[in-house]
Amino acid sequence: MRSDKPLILISNDDGFQAKGINELVMFLRDIADLIVVAPDGPRSGASGAITSANPVNYVKIREEEGLVVYKCSGTPVDSVKLALHVLVPRVPDMVIGGINHGDNSSVNVHYSGTMGIVIEGCLKGIPSIGFSLCNHSSDADFSPSCPFVRDIVSTTLEKGLPYGTCLNVNFPDTDNLKGIRICRQTDGVWINEFAECNSPRGAGYYWLTGSYKNNEPDSIDTDHWALDNGYVAVTPTKIDLTSYKLMEEMKQWDFKL
Amino acid sequence: MRSDKPLILISNDDGFQAKGINELVMFLRDIADLIVVAPDGPRSGASGAITSANPVNYVKIREEEGLVVYKCSGTPVDSVKLALHVLVPRVPDMVIGGINHGDNSSVNVHYSGTMGIVIEGCLKGIPSIGFSLCNHSSDADFSPSCPFVRDIVSTTLEKGLPYGTCLNVNFPDTDNLKGIRICRQTDGVWINEFAECNSPRGAGYYWLTGSYKNNEPDSIDTDHWALDNGYVAVTPTKIDLTSYKLMEEMKQWDFKL
């Protein structure tokens, strides 16, 4: 880790053994030194969760020239925090989450452990990117994304990202990617979210499932439109959640106190 | 639950037995019918996490006129999703998270299970508010917040909230609250985030801790300034994370592909 190459911290929410993160490492091996600190197993849907009730730890899995891999007992965000606190030799030039097995466009950004990683990197002032493929399968084919991942990482390392902003990049599941589109987050909603089952002893339990409803399927500037039409969706994302518009409106509200 | 009162769904991330949620119920009993669906134990720092690897379930704890309380085996967001899917008699007029034991202003919004609840309610198109007190103690004194909680809930029920927006309300830990301030999210960062310990067998482990650093202590329009100065901080929050500014800038980037 003493080369002149950029240093990139990589994590994910599918665990260090997932195909997506290992493909990402292969895609980026020659352009950066890589530190992988990823959960020891699947943490899909972890969002920005942190572990405070228990301690967390890490174990080094392997080390080669320009690559070191650790597994972490905590959440995706714990992994980033722990990496930045004790494992990196210097502040990384970039934090990357992914490549996720599954779509993190639209409202999924709020549940995404991948984007939890990216927001954490961004909160620490580091240019950060999340990559996700719209295929949940454990053996999904990530190879079509390779040249785009390399292009987006290289260009972002060169250009930088404004303070407080990061990128949410999603790939449609096709080997015929049409190019990159800069998008906004689609307005959508998950409906019919549970499948009800009964245990052998009769107690009801509920599996999360559901259908995604796009509230604006004809809006061509959205990330979901891009994905539906074969484009790589790059959604610039920010960590300041303030609604400045509502802030102005509420100053006119008549609170009694 | 057949009265003419508004119907409010309440959850939290400290668990259904926490003082904060039970105080909130007392504050609102006379102005709304209440359904409480909250985690069966502490889930602090759960952010927007959802449970997909396991099923979740619920148990009814008590039922009185205008109040029913359930505990849920999942995360705060699971609790909201499950409540809306199977437990509410109709779409609630409001979703409330809290009252949280601890500060959810500034960047804490990204880790907050309380705000996970609120964002979930907002994603479902329901006016949603998170209430948090800047005191982590299990027996914190919530009573000074009572008139403000009632005022903010009543006024918001009357005015509504624009689609895609919700409120993050934080109370300083004082019995001399100076009034309500409409704020923006403070730019800040957590530093020195872990305390390292060794197990009896020598293995290192790490407890999440840390100090909050306010990057703009003199900005009087921020939620942290309001809290530092004895005001109730109301931060209008939105679920569209798109950086429209970076979106325009990135359209000028020269990607190779």
Side-chain angles (χ1 to χ4, degrees):
Chain A
M1 295 294 173
R2 297 278 173 216
S3 76
D4 295 333
K5 289 180 182 172
L7 177 65
I8 299 180
L9 171 63
I10 293 175
S11 191
N12 75 347
D13 71 357
D14 296 309
F16 76 102
Q17 293 176 307
K19 183 177 178 182
I21 195 168
N22 287 288
E23 295 273 304
L24 178 65
V25 165
M26 289 204 297
F27 296 169
L28 299 177
R29 264 313 277 280
D30 64 323
I31 61 175
D33 288 336
L34 306 176
I35 298 189
V36 176
V37 185
D40 55 17
R43 303 284 192 285
S44 277
S47 186
I50 52 176
T51 303
S52 56
N54 306 104
V56 295
N57 60 22
Y58 63 86
V59 175
K60 188 186 284 185
I61 299 296
R62 66 183 172 120
E63 182 162 13
E64 302 165 15
E65 181 65 33
L67 171 67
V68 53
V69 179
Y70 300 88
K71 66 176 182 179
C72 171
S73 63
T75 66
V77 171
D78 292 338
S79 301
V80 175
K81 286 182 182 290
L82 197 59
L84 295 178
H85 191 73
V86 293
L87 295 173
V88 295
R90 60 179 177 85
V91 176
D93 300 291
M94 181 171 280
V95 172
I96 299 182
I99 301 172
N100 189 61
H101 295 244
D103 179 359
N104 281 321
S105 70
S106 183
V107 296
N108 296 338
V109 67
H110 289 287
Y111 310 115
S112 166
T114 304
M115 287 307 295
I117 290 159
V118 173
I119 287 169
E120 184 62 26
C122 186
L123 286 167
K124 293 296 188 281
I126 304 169
S128 299
I129 308 176
F131 291 109
S132 305
L133 174 66
C134 296
N135 183 337
H136 279 93
S137 165
S138 60
D139 68 345
D141 180 12
F142 293 90
S143 60
S145 68
C146 179
F148 291 94
V149 167
R150 291 170 60 88
D151 189 11
I152 291 166
V153 168
S154 299
T155 305
T156 305
L157 281 168
E158 180 196 325
K159 297 272 190 186
L161 289 172
Y163 182 75
T165 61
C166 51
L167 301 181
N168 181 10
V169 179
N170 287 273
F171 295 96
D173 187 28
T174 170
D175 55 7
N176 184 25
L177 292 166
K178 289 189 190 160
I180 290 169
R181 278 181 75 95
I182 311 300
C183 308
R184 64 177 173 85
Q185 179 184 320
T186 312
D187 174 25
V189 65
W190 283 91
I191 56 175
N192 304 320
E193 293 194 284
F194 289 95
E196 186 174 358
C197 302
N198 282 303
S199 76
R201 278 161 289 285
Y205 59 93
Y206 299 84
W207 286 95
L208 196 65
T209 170
S211 316
Y212 172 75
K213 180 174 169 287
N214 186 339
N215 289 333
E216 46 174 352
D218 300 326
S219 299
I220 64 169
D221 58 345
T222 62
D223 48 11
H224 225 275
W225 188 94
L227 294 168
D228 283 345
N229 289 275
Y231 291 94
V232 179
V234 176
T235 309
T237 298
K238 59 181 189 168
I239 55 178
D240 176 5
L241 307 190
T242 309
S243 170
Y244 289 92
K245 187 156 175 281
L246 178 55
M247 200 174 151
E248 288 314 305
E249 286 172 29
M250 284 188 73
K251 288 177 181 171
Q252 312 307 321
W253 284 23
D254 297 314
F255 290 109
K256 293 189 191 69
L257 295 168
Chain B
M1 293 293 173
R2 297 277 172 216
S3 77
D4 295 335
K5 290 181 182 172
L7 177 65
I8 299 179
L9 171 63
I10 293 175
S11 191
N12 75 348
D13 70 358
D14 296 310
F16 77 102
Q17 292 177 307
K19 183 176 178 182
I21 195 168
N22 287 289
E23 294 274 303
L24 179 64
V25 164
M26 289 204 298
F27 297 169
L28 298 178
R29 265 312 278 278
D30 64 322
I31 61 175
D33 288 335
L34 305 176
I35 298 190
V36 176
V37 185
D40 53 18
R43 304 283 193 285
S44 276
S47 185
I50 52 176
T51 304
S52 56
N54 307 102
V56 295
N57 60 22
Y58 63 86
V59 175
K60 188 186 284 187
I61 299 296
R62 65 184 172 119
E63 183 163 12
E64 303 166 15
E65 181 65 33
L67 170 68
V68 53
V69 178
Y70 301 87
K71 66 176 182 178
C72 171
S73 64
T75 66
V77 172
D78 292 338
S79 301
V80 175
K81 286 182 182 290
L82 196 60
L84 294 178
H85 192 72
V86 293
L87 295 173
V88 295
R90 61 180 176 85
V91 177
D93 299 292
M94 180 171 281
V95 173
I96 299 181
I99 301 173
N100 189 60
H101 295 245
D103 180 358
N104 281 320
S105 71
S106 183
V107 297
N108 297 337
V109 66
H110 289 288
Y111 310 116
S112 166
T114 304
M115 287 306 295
I117 289 160
V118 173
I119 287 168
E120 184 62 26
C122 187
L123 286 168
K124 293 295 188 280
I126 303 169
S128 299
I129 307 177
F131 291 110
S132 304
L133 175 66
C134 296
N135 182 337
H136 279 93
S137 164
S138 61
D139 67 345
D141 180 12
F142 293 89
S143 60
S145 68
C146 178
F148 291 92
V149 167
R150 289 172 60 90
D151 189 11
I152 292 166
V153 168
S154 299
T155 306
T156 306
L157 280 168
E158 179 196 326
K159 297 271 190 185
L161 288 172
Y163 182 75
T165 62
C166 51
L167 301 181
N168 181 11
V169 179
N170 287 271
F171 295 96
D173 186 29
T174 172
D175 56 6
N176 184 25
L177 291 166
K178 289 189 191 159
I180 290 170
R181 277 180 75 93
I182 311 300
C183 308
R184 65 176 173 84
Q185 180 185 320
T186 312
D187 175 25
V189 64
W190 283 92
I191 55 175
N192 304 320
E193 292 193 285
F194 289 96
E196 186 174 358
C197 302
N198 282 302
S199 77
R201 278 160 290 285
Y205 58 92
Y206 298 84
W207 286 96
L208 196 65
T209 170
S211 316
Y212 172 76
K213 181 174 169 287
N214 186 339
N215 289 333
E216 46 173 352
D218 300 325
S219 300
I220 65 169
D221 58 345
T222 62
D223 48 11
H224 225 275
W225 188 94
L227 294 168
D228 283 346
N229 288 276
Y231 292 93
V232 180
V234 176
T235 309
T237 299
K238 60 181 188 167
I239 55 177
D240 176 6
L241 307 190
T242 309
S243 169
Y244 289 92
K245 186 156 176 281
L246 179 55
M247 199 174 152
E248 289 312 306
E249 285 172 31
M250 284 189 74
K251 287 178 181 171
Q252 311 307 319
W253 285 23
D254 296 315
F255 290 109
K256 291 187 193 70
L257 295 169

